[in-house]
Amino acid sequence: MNVVMRDAMRDVAKKAGERAELVSALLALTVYLTGLTLQLTGNGGPAAQALFVAAYAFGGFFTLREAVATLRGGRFQVDFLMLVAAAGAAAIGRWEEGAVLLVLFSLGHALEEYAMGRARRSIEALGALAPRTALVRRTGAAEPVEVPVEELAVGDAVLVRPHARVPADGFVAAGSSSVDQSPITGESVPADKTPVADRAAALADPAATDPGSRVYAGTVNGSGSLDVVVTRLAADNTLARVVRMVQDAEERTSPTQRFTDRFQKVFVPGVLVLVAALLGFGALSGEPFTDTFYRAMAVLVAASPCALAIATPAAVLSAVGRAARGGVLVKGGAPLEEFGRLSTLAFDKTGTLTEGRPRLTEALAADGAGREELLRTALATQRLSDHPLAQAVVRDAPALLAATPAAAGAPEAVNLRAVIGRGVSAELDGEAVHIGSLSYADTLAGPPVPPALRERTEELARTGRTTMLVRRGDRWLGTLGLMDAPRPEAAETVAALRALGVTRTVMLSGDDQRVADAVAREVGMDEALGGLMPQDKVTEVARLRRTGRTAMIGDGVNDAPAMAGATVGVAMGAAGSAVALETADIALMSDDLRRLPFITGLSRRASRIIRQNLWLSLGIVAVLVPATALGLGIGPAVLVHEGSTLVVVANALRLLRHRDDG
């Protein structure tokens, strides 16, 4: 409870600090309007003058503090220009002009900070999702003990009650429920969770735990009670890492932001030179010094690039925050902007476009044999093998038989022998059984593969299937076709990306070219390249980059070299992978491909808003500078100036409302 109260008090103090600048600006506005009223009603004099000085104090306090900090860092920024202009107005006795400048500038700056704070709070809200305490089951204790999550250790068993938030990353050891994972993965449908089969094995290798048993801190339990074993400390859980990386992303500047930073370093000193030139010109022309000086100060205000300075950071922060709420981690403005300009997407096949595990898709009986006998023979033999293809047959054959592996009367094979990379043999009811590739079948003694069965097997191979011929005794029973099937949403995703402006989609695969072609046709890819080793994928990504900006989408582990060579590397399913979170520029926290159109649309919209903001801010400066040089006063100039800054921020905040389907 002390931890909760301490954090709550820290939050209150932080919010009070954020509001202090706004309160100071409102006080400055109040005393300025009071002084202006006294002056307009003929009751000015010392009282009005004192109120204008007070407006200087309230309006200039935070501006002065920020200007001093930037000057110590060796930089000239907008705050410094505003203070120079306000001091100049006071020097020539135009206190009311300097006061309105500082009042409007401080008010605009405070509202800008408040609006930017809204974007930051959308990110910080992620960190508040995780509970501050957890109910831990202790040996010998009748009831769970409530402890701060910081005190949880790997291996602790915590109780998650119905409709409560999960306090730590871990796996389900007991109980079943549905868990809302949308805060982490962006999935719209709660995921069913069941206990692991082997608690010790899951604790020894949490990364290998089935997603159906894995849970994350900050997600919301459904109607069932769960016992969860902790696999990560509070400071290192998925939610904590995501929050840290999103906050770090604010510091990673985009190409546009780097341009504006360089521009300001040259522009601000250039404005000071322009002001000096105006003063010199006024002196040479014989104009009264007070008029010349006032005009120079007005130009100084007009040329201050406030809106330009905030144009890109506001959009990046809003977009990064919105992406995080949608289950996508974007590591800064650079990948955000680059992804918004992409024309080519390269996909890994296995586990990205496909489900990452083979499925039994066909069981074709030979002439004179039955489909049921084919499946039962294959099932009995492959039960003895731990090969991924054998496990696929064991998993999927019962559904094709409309029975279970434990069905009464199911035959049992013995004496399994494996021929690495080719097939297996065993004994079933005293008969030899052989299962394997066509090349393996051709090496067997006895009757050859019937021509019709060979033709059907080769046809399956041409359509991207991995084939296994089955022989029992001297009888050929048929052939099995297996395939790593495309994800159900893959074709829909590729079509949505094309509608968003992606002009070229390429699939890179280590599988046989025929397999790659079959998957590519099914999901609607433009190109498919098969038979690639990891280094070959790096070469292909480099080739694609020569024709335009290219993103590489993979699992973030095996594809890390190719992702590193792309313009932007995108990792899928990063919630359960620390490596994927670290290596990718953009990480989709879930395995849902439909997050790709979401982040593509968001990044393209962010790029448009950044361009809009830049043109608006530069256009305002281009209009105001000659206008003030020709006589526009400080008051109207600062009003337009600060108004444009607020418009830029408000435009950027629209990204927080970006739709999931947009």
Side-chain angles (χ1 to χ4, degrees), residues 233-252:
L233 301 178
D236 194 41
N237 64 39
T238 301
L239 181 62
R241 293 203 312 273
V242 169
V243 172
R244 281 198 302 272
M245 289 179 178
V246 171
Q247 290 171 339
D248 291 345
E250 190 178 349
E251 306 301 321
R252 296 178 62 183

Side-chain angles (χ1 to χ4, degrees), residues 259-613:
F259 162 75
T260 56
D261 289 344
R262 290 194 302 270
F263 178 79
Q264 286 184 80
K265 287 180 181 178
V266 176
F267 183 73
V268 173
V271 170
L272 296 176
V273 171
L274 174 62
V275 168
L278 286 173
L279 291 172
F281 180 78
L284 293 175
S285 67
E287 184 181 42
F289 177 74
T290 55
D291 292 347
T292 300
F293 193 80
Y294 180 82
R295 182 183 296 108
M297 293 304 100
V299 170
L300 191 65
V301 171
S304 300
C306 274
L308 180 65
I310 201 67
T312 304
V316 168
L317 186 62
S318 298
V320 168
R322 176 64 187 95
R325 285 194 288 113
V328 181
L329 172 62
V330 181
K331 295 184 180 177
L336 178 74
E337 279 198 54
E338 293 289 5
F339 202 74
R341 301 169 182 168
L342 287 170
S343 58
T344 302
L345 294 183
F347 292 82
D348 175 53
K349 181 186 78 70
T350 305
T352 302
L353 288 171
T354 66
E355 295 176 343
R357 61 176 186 174
R359 289 188 176 278
L360 178 60
T361 55
E362 284 88 14
L364 305 179
D367 294 339
R371 189 166 183 262
E372 181 176 346
E373 183 185 10
L374 166 65
L375 287 168
R376 288 194 181 278
T377 301
L379 181 57
T381 304
Q382 299 289 36
R383 278 201 200 112
L384 304 178
S385 174
D386 59 0
H387 191 280
L389 294 178
Q391 292 174 354
V393 172
V394 173
R395 183 188 63 241
D396 299 336
L400 298 180
L401 282 166
T404 65
E412 294 184 6
V414 294
N415 298 331
L416 181 80
R417 294 179 300 279
V419 181
I420 303 300
R422 304 185 74 180
V424 297
S425 64
E427 292 179 14
L428 182 64
D429 294 336
E431 292 185 289
V433 174
H434 298 278
I435 302 177
S437 64
L438 187 58
S439 60
Y440 172 66
D442 287 337
T443 66
L444 298 176
V449 179
L453 182 59
R454 178 183 293 274
E455 184 178 340
R456 297 172 79 182
T457 302
E458 291 174 344
E459 178 61 29
L460 281 178
R462 282 193 292 271
T463 60
R465 270 59 172 176
T466 298
T467 58
M468 294 192 295
L469 287 150
V470 180
R471 191 177 93 175
R472 182 172 180 177
D474 288 337
R475 297 171 55 236
W476 289 98
L477 301 184
T479 188
L480 304 177
L482 297 95
M483 187 177 186
D484 182 11
R487 294 177 183 272
E489 71 275 14
E492 170 194 344
T493 297
V494 172
L497 290 170
R498 190 163 281 116
L500 286 167
V502 175
T503 57
R504 187 181 186 189
T505 54
V506 182
M507 187 179 74
L508 308 179
S509 175
D511 279 341
D512 181 82
Q513 184 65 50
R514 292 178 300 179
V515 176
D517 288 339
V519 173
R521 281 194 300 271
E522 193 164 344
V523 301
M525 304 294 288
D526 295 318
E527 301 175 42
L529 301 172
L532 301 178
M533 298 295 287
Q535 61 269 26
D536 299 326
K537 293 182 181 180
V538 174
T539 302
E540 290 300 328
V541 168
R543 179 182 64 82
L544 292 171
R545 282 197 68 177
R546 287 195 289 271
T547 64
R549 292 182 175 89
T550 301
M552 174 67 192
I553 298 100
D555 61 11
V557 182
N558 298 326
D559 303 309
M563 287 166 55
T567 311
V568 180
V570 182
M572 281 186 57
S577 170
V579 176
L581 279 174
E582 295 294 339
T583 57
D585 299 308
I586 296 175
L588 311 185
M589 303 305 290
S590 71
D591 274 329
D592 187 356
L593 270 175
R594 286 169 293 199
R595 294 289 85 195
L596 267 179
F598 162 71
I599 189 57
T600 302
L602 178 62
S603 59
R604 274 164 158 64
R605 189 179 182 195
S607 294
R608 288 196 300 271
I609 284 179
I610 288 171
R611 288 194 297 271
Q612 291 166 6
N613 285 352

Side-chain angles (χ1 to χ4, degrees), residues 67-323:
V68 169
T70 55
L71 283 173
R72 283 177 177 170
R75 304 188 311 275
F76 285 104
Q77 287 193 345
V78 177
D79 310 80
F80 177 75
L81 297 183
M82 290 298 181
L83 287 173
V84 170
I92 59 175
R94 306 286 284 270
W95 286 89
E96 68 280 7
E97 294 278 5
V100 74
L101 186 158
L102 288 177
V103 165
L104 291 175
F105 181 73
S106 63
L107 187 60
H109 194 267
L111 291 173
E112 170 195 315
E113 284 298 310
Y114 181 78
M116 289 291 285
R118 180 184 166 195
R120 291 190 181 96
R121 284 190 291 275
S122 73
I123 295 172
E124 292 167 357
L126 290 171
L129 291 175
R132 306 286 173 83
T133 61
L135 296 173
V136 183
R137 294 194 185 277
R138 300 293 192 200
T139 304
E143 295 292 330
V145 180
E146 186 174 13
V147 301
V149 292
E150 292 83 1
E151 295 181 11
L152 291 176
V154 173
D156 279 348
V158 299
L159 171 65
V160 185
R161 288 179 171 149
H163 309 297
R165 287 193 180 273
V166 178
D169 282 12
F171 59 82
V172 178
S176 298
S177 185
S178 293
V179 176
D180 178 5
Q181 299 187 147
S182 59
I184 302 296
T185 65
E187 295 169 276
S188 58
V189 178
D192 292 334
K193 300 295 177 181
T194 55
V196 294
D198 186 336
R199 175 170 171 170
L203 190 57
D205 187 8
T209 304
D210 185 270
S213 299
R214 197 183 301 168
V215 294
Y216 305 108
T219 56
V220 183
N221 187 22
S223 57
S225 233
L226 297 175
D227 275 15
V228 172
V229 175
V230 177
T231 57
R232 285 196 183 118
L233 301 178
D236 194 41
N237 64 39
T238 301
L239 181 62
R241 293 203 312 273
V242 169
V243 172
R244 281 198 302 272
M245 289 179 178
V246 171
Q247 290 171 339
D248 291 345
E250 190 178 349
E251 306 301 321
R252 296 178 62 183
T253 55
S254 68
T256 305
Q257 182 60 38
R258 289 194 291 272
F259 162 75
T260 56
D261 289 344
R262 290 194 302 270
F263 178 79
Q264 286 184 80
K265 287 180 181 178
V266 176
F267 183 73
V268 173
V271 170
L272 296 176
V273 171
L274 174 62
V275 168
L278 286 173
L279 291 172
F281 180 78
L284 293 175
S285 67
E287 184 181 42
F289 177 74
T290 55
D291 292 347
T292 300
F293 193 80
Y294 180 82
R295 182 183 296 108
M297 293 304 100
V299 170
L300 191 65
V301 171
S304 300
C306 274
L308 180 65
I310 201 67
T312 304
V316 168
L317 186 62
S318 298
V320 168
R322 176 64 187 95

